[in-house]
Amino acid sequence: MPGLKAATLDHAKRASTGNTGVFSFENYRHLLNRPTAGKGPSILQTMKASGVMSSGEVARMDTILRHAEVIQRTITLRINAGTLVDAPDMLSNLVARLIGANIGGATGAAQGAPLVMAGAVSRAAQKIADKIPTTKIMDVFIEASNDPKFMANLLEKPQTVKRKRELHRQINAFLLQAGLVEREESQGE
């Protein structure tokens, strides 16, 4: 079952990457939620009905993708306008990392757009996100769909410095436990 889930989501990811190499969360979410074969159930509905994903996982996946879609749209609009992107939550940082390598070429914005974004986001969140290989960022979203607490941590915008540190420690620990970052890279955090 986990292999079927991973293969299905990977296929949707590849199908949601345009000719320019830019991944689209909007296309990904629509592909997973639109009816297959005309009026058939969507991919997510089929995975839920067959027990590949639970109802909670499907709901969390949809929530994450909706947030990511808004973040991607905001980042792209701000980059095109030449303004900084302020992204205080971890999910925003991960979306920026996933699409950042391609933003300059895709939007015609000035060179170095990913550096502009990186300078505007939380330094601690950036350090954690930078440890995650770009190829594993979608795995983080899948893990968040499996774990409601991790998803809440990714979406939380901490209001105090103390909560920010605590949240980043929790996210880092989860990523280590899930094998999405290397232990040796995280020492000293």
Side-chain angles (χ1 to χ4, degrees):
M1 291 293 207
L4 178 60
K5 176 180 170 181
T8 302
L9 295 176
D10 186 58
H11 167 73
K13 176 185 166 190
R14 283 184 277 120
S16 300
T17 303
N19 294 340
T20 60
V22 176
F23 176 78
S24 168
F25 280 99
E26 180 179 11
N27 291 345
Y28 188 69
R29 189 177 63 78
H30 287 297
L31 180 67
L32 292 174
N33 286 297
R34 79 170 172 243
T36 56
K39 295 185 179 184
S42 71
I43 292 172
L44 285 179
Q45 289 170 336
T46 302
M47 290 200 303
K48 183 173 101 176
S50 63
V52 174
M53 291 180 82
S54 70
S55 297
E57 287 176 301
V58 169
R60 286 186 294 274
M61 176 68 81
D62 194 54
T63 299
I64 290 166
L65 294 178
R66 285 181 189 278
H67 276 75
E69 191 177 324
V70 169
I71 293 164
Q72 183 174 21
R73 198 173 311 123
T74 301
I75 288 170
T76 303
L77 289 173
R78 289 186 180 175
I79 295 280
N80 282 337
T83 60
L84 293 177
V85 177
D86 183 21
D89 65 24
M90 187 67 178
L91 182 66
S92 298
N93 199 302
L94 292 173
V95 171
R97 284 265 336 273
L98 185 63
I99 65 173
N102 299 310
I103 281 182
T107 63
Q111 292 290 73
L115 297 176
V116 171
M117 289 187 305
V121 297
S122 161
R123 298 287 181 228
Q126 182 183 344
K127 279 176 132 178
I128 294 171
D130 286 347
K131 289 191 262 179
I132 303 168
T134 306
T135 57
K136 290 194 172 201
I137 291 175
M138 287 303 292
D139 294 342
V140 173
F141 299 144
I142 293 168
E143 287 295 329
S145 74
N146 293 331
D147 187 317
K149 185 174 183 201
F150 181 57
M151 182 182 122
N153 286 346
L154 284 179
L155 296 173
E156 183 178 338
K157 295 180 182 184
Q159 301 301 311
T160 66
V161 173
K162 181 180 177 184
R163 178 62 187 145
K164 186 183 224 180
R165 280 190 219 121
E166 181 181 292
L167 184 63
H168 290 163
R169 275 194 298 273
Q170 291 171 352
I171 290 171
N172 195 47
F174 184 91
L175 293 170
L176 279 167
Q177 186 176 7
L180 296 172
V181 295
E182 298 293 322
R183 182 166 299 282
E184 62 203 26
E185 291 179 23
S186 67
Q187 291 178 351
E189 292 292 311

